[in-house]
Amino acid sequence: MKCILTIIIALALLSTCAQEKYWVYFSDKKGVTFDPKEYFHPNAIERRIKNNYPINHFSDRPLVKSYVQEVSGLASLCKGVSRWLNAIVVTANDAQIEQIRELPFVLKIEASSCHSVVCTSEEINVTHNDFEKRDLIRFQLDRMNAHQFKEHGITGRGLTIAIFDAGFPGVDKAPMFEHIRARDGIIGTYDFIRNTDNVYRKIEHGSMVFSCIAGVTKDSLRLGVATGANFLLAITEKLMKEGLAEEEAWLFAAEWADKNGADIINSSLGYTRRNHFKQDMDGQTAIITRAANLASAKGILVVSSAGNEGNKRHWMMVAAPADGDSVLAVGAINPWSGFHTNFSSFGPSSDKELKPNVTAVGHVIAYHKLLKTSETQGTSFSAPLVAGFAACAWQANPTLTNWELLKRIETSGDLYPYFDYAHGYGVPQADCFLSNTASKSNDSAFIVDIGDSVVTISIRDDLLINDTLFHVSENHDGVINIITKRDDGIKIDKNHPFIKHELFYYHLENKEGFLDEFSVLSVEKNPIVKIGLDSLEDRILRIHYYGFTRSIQF
Amino acid sequence: MVLRVQYNFNEMRIALITHMLIFSMAGFCQDTLLYKKTVETLSEGDFGPNKKNYIHTFFKVGFYQNTDALNTCLIQGGNSFTSGYGVRFKRKLSSKLAFGYDLGYDFNQYRFKRDLSSLYSQLNGFLTADSLKTDKLTFGILELAPYFRINFGKRGDHLGKYLDFVFYGALMISSKHVLKWDHPNSSIIKKSTYKSRRLGYTNKLFYGIEMRYGNAFYNLFMRYRCVHIFNSKLNDNPYQPSLISWGAYIIIPD
């Protein structure tokens, strides 16, 4: 009996005396002196000027020292301070937090008591040989026409990309990153979990992500396009630990990246149901999303993986910070099938913003510590492909602001002006940044027959490309089944197993401006699709095929 | 492919189902590679963490407490452990309260300190304690453990912290007792081992209570078993293994 009582008392004490973590927001920054030229890297000041953002903005000034000291003195532990939010993170018990709440300069207090792990990638090998690997390397960049950047000598030079991830082992030694190390292209590193400069440790997910931005194999094959950019590497991810601590680390890392002149932040991390409810994915609730929006306001282009929740029936939607309206959320396509890969999270955000914004190849060849390169998959890797792409696009168009660049990347999507919540505007195309290539929008590609009860859509015969070489299906584990569908002698192109497939897309947009449903069809014969008129009432039917888009208002 | 206008009854039925389930008469001619309704993505649903119903699996690792209580066998702390795997069902009653049950399998091992455990002498009276090297009891149990949960924090249930009050019942499905001796004084036998399965001197049914404190990622637990391991067949043996274990559940999301 004594033992039982001991157990009950111990656990009850544990639950009642537990320390919680809180964000304590201050009301002002009175009396604070701040010299932006001393604090910021020149790039950061330049970026602010370009974006018409004050170089001495309230949010960039330091916190009032006495406020921080007073709150820290009352709390059990101060875990960090944020200039952007004018707040500090503390751990405190109920009594302590009540004392803090009484302080006259405390604006508000928010509990921060959730825990999490994140899912950043799934790894299922499906390429079969070295040849297929090499072709996948080619395809992961060619799908964006990114070779055109190289042909124009554009490698992201002059741009700084900050990568926030779980660790970068091997980046300090691997030949894949030698070209960056040789020119001191890694200009800053910091581990926001352990508060050290050493980031070349822990989980190699960050190294893999880095390789998809700027890695070059020993055969001079480029895994990413921004081989000439500079880099800031930060660890913000603490696997198997507190999720919100990671979101907070992300915020501190964003402030650090801003201070050190980052132009682009790549975040291949996503926070979902372990930290949040779906309704929190509204672009303004999650700490990490708020941080990403603030970074964007200061002129940084934030590129985030959309998340790998597409096949997880209890979430499916994008992961924070991809829900931010200023964040370029990147989904994933399957290089075999050419359309959405099943793990890639779907949009929209809970406030019905279009997400993901764009897509890129989500099954890639990336750095591997032992094998040098290996195949991996996840939106963790489609995002850095686009981050590298964005660096090159920005180098080619240096007058663009981050917001203009984001919009230009969207309009460069191969589906644009069509969009849906699986592909966004499609895969961005480099040629849109190198010439004034007009997007095809000639709706004469389609023959639309509106009958009494059914709308029948066909494709002009000369555009009908019978892309039925493969019948592609995916199971819930992301395993791809490719079956040759035709027996008329057409075989898989052995030289290029990865090709762009021409598929038919359509969606229904309601009068509130968001999509009710969307679909992708293979194209075999006319008619392509028949849709009941009753389901089209007060809606816009938008169809897309082979670069052509047509909208029909009902 | 040309859309057929005339249907027989079965085709009509299939067409109707397709219409209802797939998408208002779309995709007759081509393969539908992807079809999605936005409402499915945005729907919170009532299944999942923080939702009304949730199921997840867990791993469990714990250790038996070496106590000074009278009639308790002294055990080798680190080597006396419990580990398990199971499924946890949860139903939310409100943002503060939930209930559910665990179904699981537990593997348990006790390693007794040979200088105090006297079990072996009853089993093999001709051997002495001095030469005993190993005294290990292992058993597996199937467990059913209903629990009542109190949540802490505003986010309710799985996104907060919680305290579980658990009652468990368990059935022993396997058992093994291993005893090993050295024979330093014998020129013929250097070592001998005694292994016994399906032990007759252990109880088969157990019950007890447990308290868990945890979050979405792990629970810390303390458990008190209300039934002794050894039954009345060893009733003249004064010693019983520890009743208290503590450790952690590692939660594996669905």
PDB file of all heavy atoms in Angstrom, chain B residues 11 20 29-30 49 56 83 89 126 130 140 148 151 162 183 186 189 195 203 207 228 231 241 243 254:
ATOM      1  N   GLU B  11     -24.624  -1.643 -66.048  1.00  0.00           N
ATOM      2  CA  GLU B  11     -23.765  -0.531 -66.423  1.00  0.00           C
ATOM      3  C   GLU B  11     -24.289   0.787 -65.856  1.00  0.00           C
ATOM      4  O   GLU B  11     -23.522   1.656 -65.440  1.00  0.00           O
ATOM      5  CB  GLU B  11     -23.636  -0.442 -67.947  1.00  0.00           C
ATOM      6  CG  GLU B  11     -22.711  -1.510 -68.515  1.00  0.00           C
ATOM      7  CD  GLU B  11     -22.758  -1.558 -70.031  1.00  0.00           C
ATOM      8  OE1 GLU B  11     -23.851  -1.319 -70.586  1.00  0.00           O
ATOM      9  OE2 GLU B  11     -21.731  -1.839 -70.631  1.00  0.00           O
ATOM     10  N   MET B  20     -21.422   9.050 -58.272  1.00  0.00           N
ATOM     11  CA  MET B  20     -21.520   9.463 -56.873  1.00  0.00           C
ATOM     12  C   MET B  20     -20.171   9.452 -56.186  1.00  0.00           C
ATOM     13  O   MET B  20     -19.851  10.351 -55.420  1.00  0.00           O
ATOM     14  CB  MET B  20     -22.480   8.533 -56.123  1.00  0.00           C
ATOM     15  CG  MET B  20     -23.940   8.732 -56.524  1.00  0.00           C
ATOM     16  SD  MET B  20     -24.959   7.379 -55.965  1.00  0.00           S
ATOM     17  CE  MET B  20     -24.803   7.524 -54.207  1.00  0.00           C
ATOM     18  N   CYS B  29     -13.229   8.155 -70.249  1.00  0.00           N
ATOM     19  CA  CYS B  29     -12.398   7.719 -71.356  1.00  0.00           C
ATOM     20  C   CYS B  29     -10.949   7.509 -70.966  1.00  0.00           C
ATOM     21  O   CYS B  29     -10.227   6.800 -71.638  1.00  0.00           O
ATOM     22  CB  CYS B  29     -12.460   8.755 -72.465  1.00  0.00           C
ATOM     23  SG  CYS B  29     -14.142   9.108 -72.959  1.00  0.00           S
ATOM     24  N   GLN B  30     -10.519   8.149 -69.930  1.00  0.00           N
ATOM     25  CA  GLN B  30      -9.099   8.114 -69.598  1.00  0.00           C
ATOM     26  C   GLN B  30      -8.917   7.523 -68.202  1.00  0.00           C
ATOM     27  O   GLN B  30      -9.865   7.396 -67.449  1.00  0.00           O
ATOM     28  CB  GLN B  30      -8.515   9.535 -69.626  1.00  0.00           C
ATOM     29  CG  GLN B  30      -9.116  10.458 -70.659  1.00  0.00           C
ATOM     30  CD  GLN B  30      -8.822  10.040 -72.076  1.00  0.00           C
ATOM     31  OE1 GLN B  30      -7.823   9.348 -72.312  1.00  0.00           O
ATOM     32  NE2 GLN B  30      -9.650  10.425 -73.018  1.00  0.00           N
ATOM     33  N   PRO B  49      -4.691  11.932 -33.531  1.00  0.00           N
ATOM     34  CA  PRO B  49      -4.281  12.541 -32.276  1.00  0.00           C
ATOM     35  C   PRO B  49      -5.123  13.802 -32.052  1.00  0.00           C
ATOM     36  O   PRO B  49      -5.432  14.488 -33.017  1.00  0.00           O
ATOM     37  CB  PRO B  49      -2.813  12.912 -32.500  1.00  0.00           C
ATOM     38  CG  PRO B  49      -2.464  12.499 -33.846  1.00  0.00           C
ATOM     39  CD  PRO B  49      -3.657  11.945 -34.546  1.00  0.00           C
ATOM     40  N   HIS B  56      -2.841   4.207 -31.604  1.00  0.00           N
ATOM     41  CA  HIS B  56      -1.422   4.225 -31.955  1.00  0.00           C
ATOM     42  C   HIS B  56      -0.733   3.049 -31.287  1.00  0.00           C
ATOM     43  O   HIS B  56      -1.256   2.460 -30.334  1.00  0.00           O
ATOM     44  CB  HIS B  56      -0.760   5.542 -31.548  1.00  0.00           C
ATOM     45  CG  HIS B  56      -0.711   5.779 -30.068  1.00  0.00           C
ATOM     46  ND1 HIS B  56       0.232   5.199 -29.259  1.00  0.00           N
ATOM     47  CD2 HIS B  56      -1.510   6.500 -29.254  1.00  0.00           C
ATOM     48  CE1 HIS B  56       0.030   5.585 -28.019  1.00  0.00           C
ATOM     49  NE2 HIS B  56      -1.029   6.360 -27.979  1.00  0.00           N
ATOM     50  N   SER B  83       9.888  -5.183 -21.098  1.00  0.00           N
ATOM     51  CA  SER B  83       9.789  -4.460 -22.367  1.00  0.00           C
ATOM     52  C   SER B  83       8.558  -4.989 -23.086  1.00  0.00           C
ATOM     53  O   SER B  83       8.170  -6.140 -22.914  1.00  0.00           O
ATOM     54  CB  SER B  83      11.038  -4.664 -23.220  1.00  0.00           C
ATOM     55  OG  SER B  83      11.146  -6.014 -23.583  1.00  0.00           O
ATOM     56  N   PHE B  89      -5.726   2.328 -27.606  1.00  0.00           N
ATOM     57  CA  PHE B  89      -6.956   2.935 -28.121  1.00  0.00           C
ATOM     58  C   PHE B  89      -7.339   4.071 -27.179  1.00  0.00           C
ATOM     59  O   PHE B  89      -7.255   3.909 -25.965  1.00  0.00           O
ATOM     60  CB  PHE B  89      -8.091   1.911 -28.154  1.00  0.00           C
ATOM     61  CG  PHE B  89      -7.803   0.737 -29.039  1.00  0.00           C
ATOM     62  CD1 PHE B  89      -7.032  -0.325 -28.591  1.00  0.00           C
ATOM     63  CD2 PHE B  89      -8.286   0.694 -30.342  1.00  0.00           C
ATOM     64  CE1 PHE B  89      -6.748  -1.408 -29.402  1.00  0.00           C
ATOM     65  CE2 PHE B  89      -8.010  -0.390 -31.158  1.00  0.00           C
ATOM     66  CZ  PHE B  89      -7.239  -1.440 -30.690  1.00  0.00           C
ATOM     67  N   PHE B 126      20.260 -30.105  -3.654  1.00  0.00           N
ATOM     68  CA  PHE B 126      21.609 -30.643  -3.474  1.00  0.00           C
ATOM     69  C   PHE B 126      22.698 -29.649  -3.857  1.00  0.00           C
ATOM     70  O   PHE B 126      23.862 -29.889  -3.654  1.00  0.00           O
ATOM     71  CB  PHE B 126      21.784 -31.929  -4.296  1.00  0.00           C
ATOM     72  CG  PHE B 126      21.574 -31.711  -5.772  1.00  0.00           C
ATOM     73  CD1 PHE B 126      22.673 -31.446  -6.585  1.00  0.00           C
ATOM     74  CD2 PHE B 126      20.309 -31.775  -6.339  1.00  0.00           C
ATOM     75  CE1 PHE B 126      22.490 -31.259  -7.939  1.00  0.00           C
ATOM     76  CE2 PHE B 126      20.144 -31.589  -7.682  1.00  0.00           C
ATOM     77  CZ  PHE B 126      21.226 -31.333  -8.504  1.00  0.00           C
ATOM     78  N   ASP B 130      26.566 -20.954  -3.019  1.00  0.00           N
ATOM     79  CA  ASP B 130      27.894 -20.379  -3.264  1.00  0.00           C
ATOM     80  C   ASP B 130      28.325 -20.484  -4.709  1.00  0.00           C
ATOM     81  O   ASP B 130      28.988 -19.604  -5.234  1.00  0.00           O
ATOM     82  CB  ASP B 130      28.942 -21.116  -2.398  1.00  0.00           C
ATOM     83  CG  ASP B 130      28.627 -20.915  -0.926  1.00  0.00           C
ATOM     84  OD1 ASP B 130      27.887 -19.940  -0.642  1.00  0.00           O
ATOM     85  OD2 ASP B 130      29.100 -21.704  -0.106  1.00  0.00           O
ATOM     86  N   GLY B 140       6.569 -14.091 -20.448  1.00  0.00           N
ATOM     87  CA  GLY B 140       5.841 -13.193 -21.338  1.00  0.00           C
ATOM     88  C   GLY B 140       4.386 -13.131 -20.923  1.00  0.00           C
ATOM     89  O   GLY B 140       3.807 -14.147 -20.537  1.00  0.00           O
ATOM     90  N   PHE B 148      -7.899   5.716 -17.606  1.00  0.00           N
ATOM     91  CA  PHE B 148      -8.651   6.963 -17.583  1.00  0.00           C
ATOM     92  C   PHE B 148      -7.630   8.092 -17.633  1.00  0.00           C
ATOM     93  O   PHE B 148      -6.625   8.054 -16.926  1.00  0.00           O
ATOM     94  CB  PHE B 148      -9.482   7.042 -16.296  1.00  0.00           C
ATOM     95  CG  PHE B 148     -10.363   8.248 -16.245  1.00  0.00           C
ATOM     96  CD1 PHE B 148     -11.513   8.317 -17.011  1.00  0.00           C
ATOM     97  CD2 PHE B 148     -10.028   9.335 -15.440  1.00  0.00           C
ATOM     98  CE1 PHE B 148     -12.321   9.445 -16.973  1.00  0.00           C
ATOM     99  CE2 PHE B 148     -10.837  10.456 -15.402  1.00  0.00           C
ATOM    100  CZ  PHE B 148     -11.978  10.511 -16.176  1.00  0.00           C
ATOM    101  N   ASN B 151      -6.192  15.358 -18.964  1.00  0.00           N
ATOM    102  CA  ASN B 151      -5.290  16.176 -19.789  1.00  0.00           C
ATOM    103  C   ASN B 151      -4.953  17.489 -19.099  1.00  0.00           C
ATOM    104  O   ASN B 151      -5.788  18.057 -18.401  1.00  0.00           O
ATOM    105  CB  ASN B 151      -5.954  16.503 -21.125  1.00  0.00           C
ATOM    106  CG  ASN B 151      -6.219  15.267 -21.922  1.00  0.00           C
ATOM    107  OD1 ASN B 151      -5.305  14.559 -22.288  1.00  0.00           O
ATOM    108  ND2 ASN B 151      -7.492  14.984 -22.162  1.00  0.00           N
ATOM    109  N   TYR B 162      -0.543  14.699 -20.085  1.00  0.00           N
ATOM    110  CA  TYR B 162      -1.651  13.998 -19.452  1.00  0.00           C
ATOM    111  C   TYR B 162      -1.182  13.022 -18.392  1.00  0.00           C
ATOM    112  O   TYR B 162      -0.015  12.615 -18.358  1.00  0.00           O
ATOM    113  CB  TYR B 162      -2.516  13.290 -20.499  1.00  0.00           C
ATOM    114  CG  TYR B 162      -1.749  12.435 -21.480  1.00  0.00           C
ATOM    115  CD1 TYR B 162      -1.299  11.170 -21.130  1.00  0.00           C
ATOM    116  CD2 TYR B 162      -1.490  12.907 -22.756  1.00  0.00           C
ATOM    117  CE1 TYR B 162      -0.608  10.396 -22.031  1.00  0.00           C
ATOM    118  CE2 TYR B 162      -0.801  12.139 -23.670  1.00  0.00           C
ATOM    119  CZ  TYR B 162      -0.358  10.881 -23.301  1.00  0.00           C
ATOM    120  OH  TYR B 162       0.341  10.121 -24.195  1.00  0.00           O
ATOM    121  N   HIS B 183      31.223 -25.424 -10.911  1.00  0.00           N
ATOM    122  CA  HIS B 183      31.630 -26.519  -9.993  1.00  0.00           C
ATOM    123  C   HIS B 183      33.146 -26.498  -9.860  1.00  0.00           C
ATOM    124  O   HIS B 183      33.842 -27.309 -10.459  1.00  0.00           O
ATOM    125  CB  HIS B 183      31.152 -27.876 -10.539  1.00  0.00           C
ATOM    126  CG  HIS B 183      29.665 -27.943 -10.684  1.00  0.00           C
ATOM    127  ND1 HIS B 183      28.822 -28.263  -9.639  1.00  0.00           N
ATOM    128  CD2 HIS B 183      28.862 -27.722 -11.745  1.00  0.00           C
ATOM    129  CE1 HIS B 183      27.575 -28.240 -10.050  1.00  0.00           C
ATOM    130  NE2 HIS B 183      27.579 -27.912 -11.333  1.00  0.00           N
ATOM    131  N   SER B 186      34.925 -29.740  -8.677  1.00  0.00           N
ATOM    132  CA  SER B 186      34.718 -31.012  -9.373  1.00  0.00           C
ATOM    133  C   SER B 186      35.690 -31.118 -10.539  1.00  0.00           C
ATOM    134  O   SER B 186      35.898 -30.163 -11.283  1.00  0.00           O
ATOM    135  CB  SER B 186      33.278 -31.098  -9.899  1.00  0.00           C
ATOM    136  OG  SER B 186      33.164 -32.192 -10.761  1.00  0.00           O
ATOM    137  N   ILE B 189      32.717 -32.137 -13.750  1.00  0.00           N
ATOM    138  CA  ILE B 189      31.765 -31.126 -14.242  1.00  0.00           C
ATOM    139  C   ILE B 189      32.276 -29.740 -13.876  1.00  0.00           C
ATOM    140  O   ILE B 189      32.562 -29.470 -12.709  1.00  0.00           O
ATOM    141  CB  ILE B 189      30.363 -31.328 -13.607  1.00  0.00           C
ATOM    142  CG1 ILE B 189      29.884 -32.771 -13.835  1.00  0.00           C
ATOM    143  CG2 ILE B 189      29.366 -30.349 -14.175  1.00  0.00           C
ATOM    144  CD1 ILE B 189      28.664 -33.130 -13.026  1.00  0.00           C
ATOM    145  N   LYS B 195      17.364 -25.534 -16.857  1.00  0.00           N
ATOM    146  CA  LYS B 195      16.363 -24.710 -17.529  1.00  0.00           C
ATOM    147  C   LYS B 195      15.009 -25.367 -17.357  1.00  0.00           C
ATOM    148  O   LYS B 195      14.873 -26.561 -17.579  1.00  0.00           O
ATOM    149  CB  LYS B 195      16.649 -24.616 -19.026  1.00  0.00           C
ATOM    150  CG  LYS B 195      17.790 -23.714 -19.396  1.00  0.00           C
ATOM    151  CD  LYS B 195      17.925 -23.622 -20.918  1.00  0.00           C
ATOM    152  CE  LYS B 195      19.173 -22.849 -21.279  1.00  0.00           C
ATOM    153  NZ  LYS B 195      19.392 -22.819 -22.714  1.00  0.00           N
ATOM    154  N   ASN B 203       2.378 -17.842 -10.671  1.00  0.00           N
ATOM    155  CA  ASN B 203       0.981 -17.526 -10.959  1.00  0.00           C
ATOM    156  C   ASN B 203       0.819 -17.246 -12.445  1.00  0.00           C
ATOM    157  O   ASN B 203       1.774 -16.840 -13.127  1.00  0.00           O
ATOM    158  CB  ASN B 203       0.542 -16.303 -10.150  1.00  0.00           C
ATOM    159  CG  ASN B 203       0.363 -16.640  -8.690  1.00  0.00           C
ATOM    160  OD1 ASN B 203      -0.271 -17.645  -8.364  1.00  0.00           O
ATOM    161  ND2 ASN B 203       0.946 -15.837  -7.815  1.00  0.00           N
ATOM    162  N   TYR B 207      -2.687  -8.834 -11.956  1.00  0.00           N
ATOM    163  CA  TYR B 207      -3.331  -7.538 -12.145  1.00  0.00           C
ATOM    164  C   TYR B 207      -2.573  -6.508 -11.330  1.00  0.00           C
ATOM    165  O   TYR B 207      -1.763  -6.853 -10.449  1.00  0.00           O
ATOM    166  CB  TYR B 207      -4.825  -7.580 -11.769  1.00  0.00           C
ATOM    167  CG  TYR B 207      -5.094  -7.892 -10.321  1.00  0.00           C
ATOM    168  CD1 TYR B 207      -5.169  -6.874  -9.370  1.00  0.00           C
ATOM    169  CD2 TYR B 207      -5.272  -9.205  -9.897  1.00  0.00           C
ATOM    170  CE1 TYR B 207      -5.407  -7.166  -8.032  1.00  0.00           C
ATOM    171  CE2 TYR B 207      -5.511  -9.496  -8.573  1.00  0.00           C
ATOM    172  CZ  TYR B 207      -5.568  -8.470  -7.646  1.00  0.00           C
ATOM    173  OH  TYR B 207      -5.789  -8.766  -6.329  1.00  0.00           O
ATOM    174  N   HIS B 228       1.800 -11.642  -6.570  1.00  0.00           N
ATOM    175  CA  HIS B 228       3.185 -12.122  -6.561  1.00  0.00           C
ATOM    176  C   HIS B 228       3.452 -13.033  -7.747  1.00  0.00           C
ATOM    177  O   HIS B 228       2.540 -13.660  -8.284  1.00  0.00           O
ATOM    178  CB  HIS B 228       3.468 -12.895  -5.261  1.00  0.00           C
ATOM    179  CG  HIS B 228       3.741 -11.978  -4.117  1.00  0.00           C
ATOM    180  ND1 HIS B 228       4.687 -10.997  -4.159  1.00  0.00           N
ATOM    181  CD2 HIS B 228       3.183 -11.915  -2.873  1.00  0.00           C
ATOM    182  CE1 HIS B 228       4.719 -10.349  -3.004  1.00  0.00           C
ATOM    183  NE2 HIS B 228       3.801 -10.887  -2.209  1.00  0.00           N
ATOM    184  N   ASN B 231       3.820 -18.766  -6.811  1.00  0.00           N
ATOM    185  CA  ASN B 231       2.562 -19.175  -6.178  1.00  0.00           C
ATOM    186  C   ASN B 231       2.811 -19.995  -4.912  1.00  0.00           C
ATOM    187  O   ASN B 231       3.952 -20.109  -4.439  1.00  0.00           O
ATOM    188  CB  ASN B 231       1.679 -19.918  -7.181  1.00  0.00           C
ATOM    189  CG  ASN B 231       2.346 -21.190  -7.680  1.00  0.00           C
ATOM    190  OD1 ASN B 231       3.267 -21.710  -7.025  1.00  0.00           O
ATOM    191  ND2 ASN B 231       1.911 -21.674  -8.816  1.00  0.00           N
ATOM    192  N   PRO B 241       9.860 -11.694  -6.170  1.00  0.00           N
ATOM    193  CA  PRO B 241      10.454 -10.607  -6.969  1.00  0.00           C
ATOM    194  C   PRO B 241       9.721  -9.296  -6.754  1.00  0.00           C
ATOM    195  O   PRO B 241       8.551  -9.273  -6.392  1.00  0.00           O
ATOM    196  CB  PRO B 241      10.278 -11.084  -8.410  1.00  0.00           C
ATOM    197  CG  PRO B 241      10.063 -12.537  -8.334  1.00  0.00           C
ATOM    198  CD  PRO B 241       9.385 -12.788  -7.026  1.00  0.00           C
ATOM    199  N   LEU B 243       7.691  -5.948  -6.909  1.00  0.00           N
ATOM    200  CA  LEU B 243       6.367  -5.662  -7.456  1.00  0.00           C
ATOM    201  C   LEU B 243       6.345  -4.354  -8.242  1.00  0.00           C
ATOM    202  O   LEU B 243       5.401  -4.081  -8.974  1.00  0.00           O
ATOM    203  CB  LEU B 243       5.352  -5.554  -6.303  1.00  0.00           C
ATOM    204  CG  LEU B 243       5.118  -6.822  -5.492  1.00  0.00           C
ATOM    205  CD1 LEU B 243       4.377  -6.487  -4.204  1.00  0.00           C
ATOM    206  CD2 LEU B 243       4.343  -7.834  -6.299  1.00  0.00           C
ATOM    207  N   ASP B 254       0.485   6.739 -35.604  1.00  0.00           N
ATOM    208  CA  ASP B 254      -0.133   5.841 -36.580  1.00  0.00           C
ATOM    209  C   ASP B 254       0.358   6.164 -37.979  1.00  0.00           C
ATOM    210  O   ASP B 254       0.839   7.246 -38.249  1.00  0.00           O
ATOM    211  CB  ASP B 254      -1.641   5.996 -36.546  1.00  0.00           C
ATOM    212  CG  ASP B 254      -2.065   7.373 -37.000  1.00  0.00           C
ATOM    213  OD1 ASP B 254      -1.485   8.349 -36.518  1.00  0.00           O
ATOM    214  OD2 ASP B 254      -2.979   7.453 -37.821  1.00  0.00           O
TER     215      ASP B 254
END
